[in-house]
Structures are given as structure tokens and as C-alpha cells.
Amino acid sequence: MASLAFSSTSASPVALRGRPNKLAIGVAQSGACHVSARGSDRKARLFITRAVAVEKKVSRFEDVAMAPPDPILGVSEAFRACTNESKLNLGVGAYRTEDLQPYVLNVVKKAEKLMLEKGENKEYLPIEGLAAFNKATAELLLGADNHSIQSQRVATVQGLSGTGSLRLAAAFINRYCPNSKVLISSPTWGNHKNIFNDAGVPWSEYRYYDPKTVGLDFEGMIADIKAAPSGSFILLHGCAHNPTGIDPTPEQWTKIADVLEEKGHTPFFDVAYQGFASGSLDEDAFSVRLFVERGFEVFVAQSYSKNLGLYSERIGAINVICSSSGVANRVKSQLKRLARPMYSNPPVHGARIVANVVGDPNLFSEWKAEMEEMAGRIKNVRKRLYDNLSQKDKSGKDWSFILRQIGMFSYTGLNTSQSENMTNKWHVYMTKDGRISLAGLSLAKCDYLADAIIDSYHNVN
């Protein structure tokens, strides 16, 4: 056996092996050790060298920088860390009851009970997803009697909620329309740019929000869409624009369609709030159906996170309405080809919930009633907040834009510094662009929120 001698300490390689860091480094650096062994001194030196190397080894990921917090999900993390009793989380767009608790729809509970009773298995779905879900989701979006469905011109692939569906479509654009640009509204949902960046799809912005009116910059929007290279993809929010809550009027949607047709652009709709914005599935699908009726080939990403409360189920779809059934078949085949190496095939639980709810007349009617109730609660909160602001603010400022906005979000018009004051002083957690989620607000908290907004607007530069 080899022995290692240090001034007054000796240890064997076996002893060193379990604690190489401090002891081995001391051996290497002191120069006080000598190795006496019967042919094993080389092994001892090799052991010490390796121990030192392990201690001093630099990670190959040493240059990886810390990523900044997500601008939306990071708000919830900060909210959870706050201990103030008055705190409000108005960042993430997730529906809450009047008691500010998460809500599972009764119709979802019933659908899950039926699924349990049927004893359905957990086998893999096909790459394109659950057939019953795909049928239900296209019919919900376009109407069961829509000619594009009847003529089999709709390619529908189940996706990982709205985000995954957008990402799959972005990959398709990158591969099959490589010279095309996507135009995104300014502002837009915080994840849109990330999705197209990571898919390698170039994008630019078109004007949408007018800070002077806290409304739609329609003229700027039209001018920018006209100026875009012909054949661009124009990303549009089907209803309840996120983050502003500002939607074009039916007449403005018609004008937008005229410009897209003139320029040969392709509309790409993000539909995250169908039925949840106005309370009507048909009313919230107006914009998409208008473009399909006009004969456009249309991309539509759908999500059931909001309208069925299936946030964690990650259930959605990408629909491509094509010019013919042959084109639709080929597009669908390539969407499946792209999905296979991404995630192989989608999850089944949320898809079965949607298929059961939409496919059962009783459950479908109950769902529509629950959506109307959720949309109604948000409308009531919106009205109460406006009333409180109007009564408390003596400056004469017009807060009526809050009533003109729609859906779960309101764009307050607060700048970054003012939004930070909302959080730092009032413990109102929100995104720094001034967006608040009314779904996370109760009638009882409107008075407090109005005080916070008025203080931040008037007292913070």
C-alpha cells in the first residue's frame, strides 16, 4: 500500500478519495508531502492531480448569463413573496372569483366525471391530436355549417395551448415561407416576439395603441400594414386584444380585410378569448369568420385556457383555412411533420374535456352560461373601477376608455415609473406597460385600486 506523508499528517489515497477538496489541494500546494510506495507512487500523484482538477474545474456553461424574469409570470413570483395584506395580483390573465380564488368551471368537473366513468385509457394520441377535439374546435371557431369545413379546407392540429399552436405555425412559416415577415401589433402579448424569434421568423411592428386617446391608432395601423412587404403575415388578435383590451369595430375589421387583400397579406389570428370576451362565442369569432368569408387563407391559433379555465392542461389548436382540400391535406401533413420532433403528440386530458363539453348539448349550454357569468363579472368590475376613478379623481380626467375596452385586461395608460409606484407603494402587482388583469380584481378591491391609480398617475412623473 502507498502512504502519503505530510509534515505531521499522513493519509492514504483511500482516505483522500472521500474528501479530495481541501486535503488534496493542501497536498498539492504545500509541497511538503512525499510519496513512498512500492510501485504505486504514480497512482497517488495521479489521484492528487485529478482531485485538484475537480476542485478547480470551470463549467462549460460559465458564460451563460442569468435570464431576466418573465415580464408576466415574474409578476406572480413577486406577488407571492409580498407579505402586505392589501396586495393585489393583476399581472397574469387568469380568472378569479369575487373572493379572488381560482375557479374550476362546473361543466369541466362534470366532463371529467364522465371521463372517469368511461374508464378511458392513456394511450398515445395521433400526432394531430384527438379527432373529436379537432372537429369540435374548428366548428366552434367557424360555425359547424361553414363552407370551409364542409369542403374539407381546414387543417386542424391540436397544439400545446395557444403558445404551442403559435410556435408550430411559426415553424411552418419559417420552413415553407422563408422570405416572409410577420407584422405584430405594438403593443402585443409579451410572448409573441419570443415565439417568432425562436422560430427564426423575422417580424416588425404595426401601430395599434394611441396613448393620446388610450384607444386604437387605426390610421397608423392601416398605414403600416400597407407599407409592409406584399405577402406578409399579419398577426391579429381575434377579440379582447392583449394587452390593451381595444378591438377594431366591425367596420374597421372590414377595412383591415380590404388592405390585406390589396397587399396579398395572410391574416394570422391569435384567438385566446373566444366566448370569454363578450360572453358570446359567435360574437367573439366575428373577425375570423369575416376573413374566411372573404376567401382568405387564414392561420388561427386557439386556446382553451381562458374560456374553459383549462390553464394547466395546455389545450389549444392551430387551424389553417386553405384554398382547397388538397392544400389543406398537405399543410396538415407538414404541421404533423414539424410537431413530431418538437413534442411528438399532444396530451389527451384537456382535449377530451373540450370534446365532451362541445359535443354534449346539455354541457355545451351550461358552458355558455358559465362563460356569460365570468364575462359578466369582469364587466361589473370594469364598471365599478370606472365609477370609483370618476368619483375620486377631481382633475377632470376622462377615464371612460376603461369602459370602451373589452375582455379581462385594461390598459391604464400608466407608464413604467407609474406602474412601479403601483407595486412599490400600493402593492399592486402588474406588468410595467400599465396593463392590469381585471380578472384578478374584485368589486370590493376597486376602491383601493382607484386610489392607487390616481396617486400613480398624478404624483409620479
Side-chain angles (χ1 to χ4, degrees), residues 233-412:
F233 288 82
I234 312 299
L235 188 65
L236 302 162
H237 299 226
C239 61
H241 182 273
N242 180 1
T244 67
I246 303 162
D247 286 352
T249 64
E251 294 75 22
Q252 288 171 330
W253 276 121
T254 299
K255 176 64 175 174
I256 294 167
D258 290 341
V259 175
L260 264 68
E261 186 173 28
E262 174 190 325
K263 291 286 297 185
H265 296 325
T266 298
F268 186 165
F269 282 94
D270 185 355
V271 177
Y273 307 98
Q274 186 184 357
F276 191 82
S278 69
S280 165
L281 288 163
D282 292 328
E283 185 176 335
D284 290 345
F286 168 81
S287 58
V288 175
R289 295 178 185 181
L290 170 68
F291 279 76
V292 173
E293 222 174 84
R294 292 275 297 262
F296 284 90
E297 290 190 300
V298 184
F299 278 66
V300 187
Q302 281 174 278
S303 167
Y304 290 93
S305 292
K306 307 299 191 294
N307 55 14
L308 264 170
L310 299 177
Y311 304 99
S312 63
E313 298 297 346
R314 311 314 296 144
I315 180 65
I318 181 65
N319 305 269
V320 186
I321 297 89
C322 303
S323 59
S324 70
S325 59
V327 173
N329 287 335
R330 295 195 296 276
V331 167
K332 185 173 182 177
S333 74
Q334 294 298 343
L335 287 170
K336 290 165 60 177
R337 184 183 177 190
L338 289 163
R340 175 63 169 151
M342 276 191 193
Y343 55 86
S344 191
N345 57 319
V348 71
H349 191 78
R352 283 180 177 152
I353 292 174
V354 174
N356 286 341
V357 169
V358 178
D360 182 296
N362 293 327
L363 290 180
F364 188 55
S365 295
E366 187 173 338
W367 178 38
K368 289 193 287 186
E370 283 197 85
M371 270 192 295
E372 288 178 12
E373 184 179 332
M374 290 190 294
R377 194 191 85 75
I378 292 175
K379 288 176 183 177
N380 290 338
V381 166
R382 187 182 288 280
K383 177 66 165 58
R384 176 70 64 85
L385 178 61
Y386 164 75
D387 289 343
N388 286 151
L389 286 167
S390 299
Q391 292 163 10
K392 288 171 172 287
D393 187 7
K394 305 304 181 182
S395 70
K397 177 175 172 56
D398 181 8
W399 295 98
S400 63
F401 62 85
I402 290 176
L403 297 178
R404 294 193 295 273
Q405 296 167 354
I406 189 172
M408 65 163 51
F409 298 115
S410 178
Y411 218 49
T412 60

Side-chain angles (χ1 to χ4, degrees), residues 1-17 19-20 23-28 32-38 40-49 51:
M1 291 291 293
S3 64
L4 294 178
F6 310 91
S7 345
S8 61
T9 306
S10 66
S12 71
V14 174
L16 278 172
R17 202 169 292 144
R19 49 191 176 93
L23 188 53
I25 290 173
V27 170
C33 72
H34 68 272
V35 179
S36 61
R38 292 190 295 273
S40 58
D41 56 335
R42 181 175 176 276
K43 291 182 179 178
R45 284 196 299 270
L46 183 61
F47 167 72
I48 294 170
T49 302

